[in-house]
Amino acid sequence: MAAALKDAPLLPQDAAGKALVRRYAAAIDADPTPELLADLGPKLLAALTALGLTPAGRGAKGGAPGGVVAGKLDELRARREQRAGSN
């Protein structure tokens, strides 16, 4: 989880979301009982989705748009495809 958050193209304003994800993950790692997983699992998934770190969060497979970060990445990919097509 730590590596995924470190490598994620998040903005400074995502710091609170990153902190929440870390706390949920640490709590689950410390006590992975079925009850805790049932309680925190959906919350962790929602936080990851809000940060654009799941397919739904990135807009894949019919999910909600991933926000500014995903939009910039999509824009860069489109430019690359345009350059490749004009060669």
Side-chain angles (χ1 to χ4, degrees):
M1 180 69 63
L5 284 173
K6 180 181 174 226
D7 295 339
L10 299 175
L11 302 172
Q13 49 271 50
D14 294 324
K18 285 173 63 173
L20 183 61
V21 164
R22 284 190 180 108
R23 289 191 64 154
Y24 284 152
I28 290 170
D29 286 344
D31 182 28
T33 61
E35 296 80 19
L36 189 70
L37 287 172
D39 180 37
L40 293 184
K43 294 174 183 178
L44 174 59
L45 181 60
L48 290 168
T49 300
L51 291 173
L53 299 178
T54 65
R58 291 186 301 271
K61 299 179 185 176
V68 175
V69 174
K72 289 184 185 233
L73 183 58
D74 291 337
E75 180 183 331
L76 290 171
R77 285 181 178 145
R79 284 190 206 165
R80 183 182 63 204
E81 289 176 15
Q82 285 178 335
R83 283 194 307 268
S86 64
N87 289 335

